[in-house]
Structure formats: structure tokens, C-alpha cells
Amino acid sequence: MTLFWLILMNCLIMKMIFCLIVLLIKEADNDDAEHMEEDVDGDLADIEALNYDDLDSVSKLQKTQRFTDIMQKVEDALENGSENSTHGIVLEDDPEYQLIVDCNALSVDIENEIVIIHNFIRDKYRLKFPELESLVHHPIDYARVVKKIANEMDLTLVDLEGFLPSAIIMVVSVTASTTSGKPLPEDVLQKTIDACDRALALDSAKKKVLDFVESRMGYIAPNLSAIVGSAVAAKIIGTAGGLSALAKMPACNVQLLGAKKKNLAGFSTATSQFRVGYLEQTEIFQSTPPSLRMRACRLLASKSTLAARVDSTRGDPAGKTGRTLRAEIHKKIEKWQEPPPAKQPKPLPVPDSEPRKKRGGRRLRKMKERYAITDMRKLANRMQFGIPEESSLGDGLGEGYGMLGQAGSGKLRVSVGQSKLAAKVAKKFKDRSYGTSGATSGLTSSLAFTPVQGIELSNPQANQFGGTQSTYFSETGTFSKIKRT
């Protein structure tokens, strides 16, 4: 009974512990749910506080003091021109170089701001023309087209020449005729056009910054400018985020700086250049044949990276390294365009005037004698003039016999002379004993069968004693006298 009560008490204790654990888990879940509700309410409050209908709450770069100061300095520098008096000091301490670094950082911020404004325009104008964003990918081109179209439903009345390529204009016009969009309200349309104006203003400010950086490229990056030109060098440095960032970038990424997503609208990809950025604007790339442009672009990217690393350390302010690299690029491209060397005719070897050495010896003579053509085969291979040969089936059918049987005997048998090899073999077999052993019995015979003579009558006891019978036991033999020394 005591054991039974102990087991029962243990079961009750385990049950109580399980119930407590369940209650604690439920309380923790309720606390988490309350916290999640509070977080969701806070997020909703933040989202409601951020008004996406207001362009100023989305785009704030143009109203910052940093943007205003840098643009003012850039305009002053463009008006005053470059100052050569500062070229003797250290590059990092030059205020003009610091302004160029700030311009590079600002150009990156302008790019990001244009993307934000592009998303704002796209969200607003999607109600009017939802298919346009898939046809025009570049943000500035999209803003220009939206500003030009506005609320017009018939695109045949809108002249998009100069904004887009002719092929894309045709696709946009056809797509607009079947679109499901509706005209925008006046307030939404006005906000969209204001956003387009702001994007275009930012693009104009970016061009000013790049013009300033381009005008100073001969001093900041002389080697890079010697390879790709000042305009392309300014764009590459501005997109990369500075000369130091460009020097740390691999060549495969330099090749893609400034690359745009191209929409071919279903047309052929044979003449389109993919995975090429600002380097396609260089003089070297444009002067290269189309079949070699991708190789030239990779070569330009690798040499531009080397030149940027030289410029970042001020290794060659005169730009001699850049000019040397440019000469190497031209030399390689010219080498690629050279025709392959003509295939030289291979002369025949000089014929040997001396006869070749032939193998000789006993083995070769035996082989030649063994496989030599017989007289019968020689006659079978010959024919007499004017005399028909006999054949195995008659009337010229079957295997011909040649001159066999035409010697006048009327037979097809030719006497075969015994060859030297056959004579040696016959002599060898003749010397052997083909009789029986020395045992005498009633079945002993004196007849022997040889391959040469056929049945031969021989004495079985003639060679019983071998070679000693004719010497030691011979009737005519004498004793040998050995001289002692």
C-alpha cells in the first residue's frame, strides 16, 4: 500500500508541474502579442506620418546646405577657371582637390535622389500609363516622356522625337492605344510634373558637377585622362565615388560603370552592345571594329584601372604612364586586326639516290624461300597471246588456269623441283630413327614410316648403341694411343 501511495503522489506532482508550465507559456505569448501590437501601431503611425503625396518629404537633397554650398563653389570655379598656383602643394591639401572629392560624393547622392524621385513619378503616373515604365527604363528619359505626354490619351498628337529612339517611340505609341490607364486628376498630375522638373534639375546639377570635374581631370587624373579622355574620366570617377574608390575597384566592375539596361523592344541583339558603360564613349572604343569592341572594352577597363592606381598615388603627374598605356592599347588592337600569317608550303623531302638497305641473313632467306611463288602459280598467272586459257567452269567462267596445261602434255600437273629448304628437312628426317624401341616382342616390325621415303625397311638394332658402336665396338676400329706428358 505504501508503494501505491508513493506512485500516486508522484503522478499528482508531475501533473501540477505540467499545468504550471502551460500557464507560463500562455502568459509569455500574451505579452509578445501585446508588444507586437504596440510595434505595429508604432510602425503604422510612422507610415502615416510619412506623406508620400508630398514631394518635399520624399526628396530633400536640394534643400540641404551641403548641396547649396557645393553647387555655389562649382559655379564659381567654372567661372574663374583653373588656378595653376596651387599645383605645387600636396594633392590632399589642395582645396580644389577637396572640392572634387565633395563633387564626386555629391554626384552619387544626386544619382540616388533621382532614383527616389523616379519611383515617386512612376507610382503617380502608373494610373495613367502603367506600361510606360517597362518601355522606358532610364529615370531621366522617363521623366521627360511623362512631362511631355502629361494627360494626353492620344500619343499621335505628342511629338517624342529627340526624347526616345524611333523604334521605342513606335512601341510606346502602339502600347498607349491599348492601355487600360485613365487620365490623372489635376492635383496628382501637377505633383507628377513637379517631380519631373525636380529630377531634370538634379540631372542638370549633376552635369555641372561633372563638367567641373572634367575640367580638372588633367591635374587630378592625368594618366586616366590620357587613356579615356577627360569627359569619360570625370564620369567614371564620379560614378565610382572618387579616385581612391576607383583605384580599389577591379577592372570587371570598371567596365560596367555607367551601363544602362537596354530595351530592344523585340528587335535584333546583333548590333547591340551589352555590359558596356562609359567606356563605349571613348575614342578608342568607337574607332575599333564592331567585332573587336568587347575585347577592346576589357582592355580599356584593365588599363584604366592601372592608370587610376597611378593617379591615386600621384606616381606620374606628367601623364607619361597614361600615354604609354594608350600606345599599348593601340598596338594590341592593330595586332588583332592583322591577317593571319600565310601558310608556308612544306617542301617535299629530298629523294634518296642510294638504294635502301634491305635486311638479309639466314632467317630472311628462309622466309623468302618459304613464301616464294611456285612455278605452278607463275604459269597460272601468265597467258599466251592468241590462245584462250582454260577455266574451272569452262567458257571463261570460274578461275582461269592461265598457261597451265598448254605446254603440249595436256596435263595440269607441273613438276616441282625440290627446294633447298625441303632438302634440308628431308635430310633431317632421314637421319632420325622412326623404328621401334629396342624391346623385342612378337609385334616388332622392321618397317618404318618416314615423311620423305614413305615406308622404309630398316634395322631396329642399327642405332642401339649410338655412336659408340662404330668406334669402340667396331670390327675395323683400333685402339687409341694417348700420349702421356
Side-chain angles (χ1 to χ4, degrees), residues 66 97-112 206 209-210 213 217 220 224 232-249 253-254 257-258 278 308 312:
R66 169 172 166 266
Y97 176 75
Q98 296 297 328
L99 179 58
I100 291 175
V101 173
D102 295 337
C103 288
N104 290 329
L106 182 62
S107 64
V108 176
D109 295 338
I110 290 175
E111 285 282 349
N112 298 331
K206 180 185 173 184
V209 170
L210 292 179
V213 176
M217 277 299 102
I220 300 300
L224 181 61
V232 178
K235 293 177 182 178
I236 290 176
I237 293 177
T239 307
L243 189 58
S244 301
L246 181 62
K248 299 175 184 178
M249 191 176 294
N253 293 347
V254 174
L257 290 177
Y278 292 127
S312 64

Side-chain angles (χ1 to χ4, degrees), residues 68-81:
T68 306
D69 295 342
I70 293 177
M71 292 306 300
Q72 185 63 38
K73 292 179 181 179
V74 167
E75 291 177 358
D76 296 340
L78 289 175
E79 291 177 358
N80 299 330

Side-chain angles (χ1 to χ4, degrees), residues 223 243 247 305-317 321-322 325:
N223 297 283
L243 189 58
T305 305
L306 295 178
R309 291 168 185 172
V310 173
D311 290 332
S312 64
T313 58
R314 303 299 293 174
D316 187 10
T321 304
L325 294 175

